[in-house]
Amino acid sequence: MNESTKSAHRRAAWTLEKWQLAIDIPLTAAACLFLVAYAYQVLAQPTGLPHRLTEWTMWAAWVVFAVDYAVRLWLAPARGRWFVRHLLDLAMVVLPMLRPLRLLRLVTLLAIVHRSSGQSLRGRVVIYATGATALLIGVAALAMLDAERHAQGAAITSYGTALWWAMETVTTVGYGDMAPVTTTGRMIAGALMIGGIALLGIVTATLASWLVERVAETGRGIPGRDA
């Protein structure tokens, strides 16, 4: 690779980084607006103009996410490689056009939390795991209530019940006191189970790393330890 190509790549990378820094706040605002609009739609079940306003808000948020994806793809130094490595981002833009998958847009919040969680690896892990857990529980409860509320024989018919189900599921407790009866609900439950196991692994690994570091520091502080 010649110097001119390297320089072009450096400029492109700097431009992509600059775009990501500039778009973080608008993306956060769009994701939060989407979350508020979706929560209002599920919990209040509005009709008429309020319902249309919530739909317009969610579609406006989707437009922001789509524009962000298109710009980042355009600014990427190696677009083909970037495209392959960011297929999840593409899924977050394309799949939420289907109603059962619309909550994939909220995964953008996790990416923003990951970008903004500082330089410390442990700090990033802790903040990311905490934010992901809270978001998973709240969003899964909303999605489950939306999917199950009007289903025949459903046990999850209120947000409080859905929140309790989400907490016992994400922590892998699984009392078995309630279970989804719809296909969409079972898909949500499966995703939450996988997410709960992954988050538990992250927390366990972080705690183990912290304990090993503390033990090592204690060992270095004992006189004659290394003699």
Side-chain angles (χ1 to χ4, degrees):
M1 183 181 295
N2 57 42
E3 288 300 321
S4 61
T5 303
K6 291 181 179 178
S7 177
H9 283 186
R10 284 194 295 269
R11 288 197 302 272
W14 179 84
T15 304
L16 178 58
E17 181 181 357
K18 187 175 180 180
W19 166 259
Q20 289 177 337
L21 290 174
I23 200 65
D24 273 356
I25 292 178
L27 278 179
T28 303
C32 289
L33 281 175
F34 177 87
L35 178 58
V36 170
Y38 183 75
Y40 175 71
Q41 188 177 77
V42 172
L43 299 177
Q45 302 183 71
T47 58
L49 181 59
H51 176 76
R52 290 196 294 273
L53 287 175
T54 57
E55 286 291 332
W56 295 339
T57 300
M58 288 187 283
W59 278 109
W62 177 83
V63 169
V64 173
F65 301 151
V67 169
D68 173 60
Y69 176 84
V71 172
R72 287 190 292 129
L73 176 60
W74 176 258
L75 294 176
R79 293 175 188 166
R81 185 182 305 171
W82 189 94
F83 176 83
V84 171
R85 292 181 176 178
H86 293 79
L87 291 177
L88 179 59
D89 292 352
L90 177 62
M92 287 189 296
V93 172
V94 176
L95 295 180
M97 289 188 292
L98 303 175
R99 179 180 174 83
L101 300 174
R102 60 173 58 187
L103 286 171
L104 278 176
R105 299 174 200 173
L106 293 174
V107 179
T108 306
L109 272 176
L110 299 182
I112 296 168
V113 169
H114 178 70
R115 292 182 197 172
S116 308
S117 54
Q119 298 301 316
S120 168
L121 175 60
R122 188 174 293 113
R124 286 203 305 269
V125 170
V126 171
I127 294 175
Y128 186 78
T130 302
T133 302
L135 186 61
L136 272 177
I137 291 174
V139 167
L142 285 171
M144 185 59 70
L145 178 61
D146 192 25
E148 294 282 305
R149 179 163 41 199
H150 301 297
Q152 184 177 2
I156 305 173
T157 56
S158 68
Y159 186 67
T161 303
L163 197 58
W164 170 250
W165 169 86
M167 287 189 291
E168 66 180 24
T169 301
V170 79
T171 55
T172 69
V173 173
Y175 288 116
D177 52 346
M178 62 190 75
V181 297
T182 64
T183 301
T184 301
R186 288 168 181 165
M187 290 173 60
I188 295 167
L192 186 59
M193 291 173 193
I194 295 172
I197 293 171
L199 289 172
L200 182 62
I202 291 173
V203 172
T204 302
T206 303
L207 179 60
S209 172
W210 180 80
L211 289 173
V212 169
E213 184 177 312
R214 295 283 81 79
V215 170
E217 289 178 356
T218 302
R220 288 195 297 269
I222 298 176
R225 179 79 174 185
D226 298 327

